[in-house]
Amino acid sequence: MTATGTATARAFPNIALVKYWGKRDESLMLPAAGSLSLTLDAFATTTAVTLDARAAADRFELNGEEQGGDRLNRVARFLDLVRERAGSAARAIVRSRNEAPTGAGLASSASGFAALATAASAAYGLPSDPASLSRLARRGSGSAARSIVPGVAVWHAGDGDETSFAEPVEAPDMRMAIVTVDERQKAVSSREAMRLTALTSPFYGAWVSSTERSLEAMLEACRDGDFTRIGRITESHALRLHAVIQSADPPVRYLSPTSIAVFDAVVRLRDRGVEAYATADAGPNVCVIARPADADGVAAALREFGRVRVVGPGSGAELIPDGGAAA
Ligand code: DP6
């Protein structure tokens, strides 16, 4: 691969239907179990990486604002890995723009590191095949491994760095209604809370083994095109995730009373014959999957709980050939 010195890439966030929660190797970012997600068609991150051989340090601009502290360090550590592989010492300017509304609870670290891995690989001349990009993105944020892939993606737990990456899965078409019940930033980061869960929850072992079983069942349901089964697994698995998080010491609780009310409203929709199934990440906002024909009705039924946006399957991380300005 040849280094271009500058490259721009775009990636979308993903929402997991079988969640990743816990690492078996923190330095290599290997997950305790595999997971499966839907890459969305909204809330993109666009990132431009430009090498600057004379600069003494990396710079990171997010939505036009120069970043320092932890945010800059996380980007710089990721670029160290890229430089080590590329045999380059050049520092870079990273300019990133995030279309997700701040605090909407959408995994911006997934779209962020997927876009950064894609742009940095082109700029520094690393391999650009999807599996290599997914492995690299994983090192920035685990869930970013899946945002390299369009639509439904499985991230294999793997048995080491080489085998832990995401790839596409055939699945029935679906939509997701994202219900923003609370715009505030979460109090405890996923990274911190998953570490705490793994260290302290008496149920952690059961969580990992049940996730392995959920993933197998989910892959089978996707192969069969069985939306009902996909939905049932999604919702029961999400409630198990929040159960194991609440069982940490000290406990962490991400779901608010309104989040629970949305889960209840989804049960009522099903009682009326509308197939909808809820999930939630490390925050109070709830994502509800439905068949395409049902999505607008589901969204209308959930508007009383907060802002609702219907999204569908999106594309994987891509280079923007004309270098479309990120900043
Ligand atoms: C609840 O990928 O943000 O969204 O690997 O430490 O960066 P790090 O964590 P991150 O965790 C995502 C947690 C989740 C579940 C999921 O996306 O599978």
Side-chain angles (χ1 to χ4, degrees):
M1 285 293 132
T2 30
T4 57
T6 180
T8 302
R10 186 189 61 176
F12 294 94
N14 68 77
I15 300 291
L17 307 183
V18 174
K19 310 283 189 193
Y20 145 59
W21 196 258
K23 300 173 178 69
R24 64 176 201 282
D25 183 324
E26 289 207 357
S27 65
L28 285 177
M29 302 281 281
L30 299 174
S35 55
L36 180 139
S37 61
L38 180 70
T39 297
L40 310 182
D41 61 356
F43 313 123
T45 301
T46 305
T47 297
V49 174
T50 304
L51 306 200
D52 182 351
R54 282 166 313 193
D58 295 311
R59 284 176 49 202
F60 176 37
E61 238 177 55
L62 179 60
N63 294 336
E65 278 178 35
E66 187 87 32
Q67 305 290 310
D70 288 350
R71 277 198 178 144
L72 171 63
N73 285 340
R74 206 163 153 189
V75 167
R77 275 203 312 274
F78 183 81
L79 290 175
D80 285 342
L81 181 69
V82 173
R83 279 188 282 265
E84 189 189 305
R85 291 181 180 184
S88 165
R91 306 287 137 175
I93 304 175
V94 175
R95 289 193 188 88
S96 214
R97 195 159 278 286
N98 214 331
E99 286 168 30
T102 333
L106 285 160
S108 58
S109 70
S111 54
F113 279 100
L116 180 60
T118 305
S121 290
Y124 282 93
L126 292 183
S128 61
D129 60 287
S132 298
L133 292 177
S134 178
R135 280 190 285 262
L136 178 62
R138 189 193 80 226
R139 302 292 290 271
S141 183
S143 54
R146 299 183 310 235
S147 274
I148 296 295
V149 174
V152 175
V154 59
W155 170 18
H156 304 290
D159 52 18
D161 175 57
E162 197 53 30
T163 47
S164 188
F165 61 90
E167 58 185 355
V169 168
E170 280 295 328
D173 193 16
M174 58 182 121
R175 298 291 177 270
M176 187 176 267
I178 300 176
V179 188
T180 305
V181 306
D182 189 338
E183 307 246 344
R184 279 171 299 186
Q185 292 281 2
K186 55 192 166 197
V188 191
S189 73
S190 304
R191 187 163 293 186
E192 210 178 305
M194 70 172 77
R195 188 179 289 145
L196 183 72
T197 307
L199 284 173
T200 65
S201 168
F203 309 142
Y204 182 68
W207 156 255
V208 173
S209 56
S210 86
T211 301
E212 286 163 352
R213 287 194 301 276
S214 296
L215 181 60
E216 264 175 47
M218 182 62 96
L219 286 168
E220 201 179 279
C222 287
R223 259 196 310 273
D224 294 348
D226 186 343
F227 177 76
T228 303
R229 186 136 183 258
I230 291 172
R232 285 189 183 146
I233 298 166
T234 297
E235 192 168 299
S236 73
H237 176 80
L239 292 169
R240 285 179 189 172
L241 169 76
H242 289 277
V244 78
I245 296 174
Q246 291 181 53
S247 72
D249 182 15
V252 178
R253 189 168 58 82
Y254 287 116
L255 300 180
S256 71
T258 311
S259 324
I260 302 291
V262 177
F263 273 78
D264 287 347
V266 167
V267 173
R268 286 198 298 277
L269 276 170
R270 288 203 296 272
D271 289 344
R272 299 201 327 249
V274 182
E275 277 204 69
Y277 300 90
T279 186
D281 280 342
N285 301 324
V286 182
C287 300
V288 180
I289 57 167
R291 292 196 176 91
D294 293 330
D296 288 340
V298 168
L302 300 176
R303 281 220 166 89
E304 63 176 290
F305 302 105
R307 206 154 26 81
V308 184
R309 164 106 184 237
V310 176
V311 298
S315 39
E318 283 168 342
L319 283 174
I320 298 177
D322 64 0

